[in-house]
Amino acid sequence: GEFQKALNIHEQALDIRTRSFGKNHLEVASSHYNLGTCYYSLGKCDSAIQHYTTALEIRISLAGKMHSCVAQCYSGIGDAYLLQDKIKDAAENYKQAQFIYSKYYFASTAEIEHINQNMLIIKNGVKIEPSVSNIHNSFVSSHSIYFKPQIFL
């Protein structure tokens, strides 16, 4: 349904951005990250990891190893590995993300909480089933709530 439509749109965006900016540009990295998110949401974790990793490599080369956009990629890779029940790989990526986020006071509470919750899942040995729980969608939902504008009367 909707994730397949989003996948098609993000594939088009990647093509346009690559032709416009070249392969090594932050906009291209964002397209790869978005594709990773779509593939993750469709349960296609290997493709998600491939796109998250490409985004990670581009972001490291342009923004450096300690940028929050790099932490975002590590978190996405961790999510995909967790869904595949590759606990060691998930934990390694979450620890990288935690380390980077710990250096940035502007990292949102939702980003840090997402990683902490998934590390708790790993610690407690809970298996994540794609049909039962989609961690990334919960993360997206928490972001939309976290950044929801406040109306004061």
Side-chain angles (χ1 to χ4, degrees), residues 78 81-82 86-95 119 122:
Y81 279 132
L82 185 59
K86 294 181 179 177
I87 303 305
K88 183 179 176 184
D89 294 327
E92 282 178 22
N93 282 279
Y94 288 139
K95 286 176 185 175
M119 290 298 285
I122 289 169

Side-chain angles (χ1 to χ4, degrees), residues 100-133:
I100 295 167
Y101 281 139
S102 73
K103 303 297 180 191
Y104 289 95
Y105 64 90
F106 57 84
S108 80
T109 304
E111 291 164 333
I112 295 167
E113 184 61 26
H114 168 74
I115 293 167
N116 290 342
Q117 286 176 356
N118 287 351
M119 290 298 285
L120 189 61
I121 287 169
I122 289 169
K123 181 181 176 185
N124 292 329
V126 177
K127 177 150 175 55
I128 303 300
E129 297 292 337
S131 60
V132 175
S133 175

Side-chain angles (χ1 to χ4, degrees), residues 8-132:
N8 293 337
I9 291 167
H10 287 300
E11 286 173 344
Q12 291 172 5
L14 175 62
D15 181 54
I16 291 167
R17 287 174 169 175
T18 302
R19 284 187 281 120
S20 298
F21 304 119
K23 290 183 179 184
N24 198 35
H25 194 277
L26 288 175
E27 291 296 326
V28 173
S30 291
S31 287
H32 279 290
Y33 182 84
N34 292 337
L35 281 166
T37 301
C38 288
Y39 280 116
Y40 174 86
S41 297
L42 291 167
K44 298 179 180 181
C45 291
D46 289 333
S47 295
I49 291 167
Q50 179 183 0
H51 283 284
Y52 285 141
T53 301
T54 301
L56 175 69
E57 291 167 355
I58 295 168
R59 288 174 171 180
I60 287 173
S61 74
L62 297 174
K65 292 180 180 181
M66 293 301 295
H67 197 279
S68 60
C69 69
V70 171
Q72 181 187 42
C73 291
Y74 282 122
S75 181
I77 294 167
D79 290 346
Y81 279 132
L82 185 59
L83 198 59
Q84 291 179 320
D85 204 30
K86 294 181 179 177
I87 303 305
K88 183 179 176 184
D89 294 327
E92 282 178 22
N93 282 279
Y94 288 139
K95 286 176 185 175
Q96 287 286 341
Q98 277 181 322
F99 178 75
I100 295 167
Y101 281 139
S102 73
K103 303 297 180 191
Y104 289 95
Y105 64 90
F106 57 84
S108 80
T109 304
E111 291 164 333
I112 295 167
E113 184 61 26
H114 168 74
I115 293 167
N116 290 342
Q117 286 176 356
N118 287 351
M119 290 298 285
L120 189 61
I121 287 169
I122 289 169
K123 181 181 176 185
N124 292 329
V126 177
K127 177 150 175 55
I128 303 300
E129 297 292 337
S131 60
V132 175

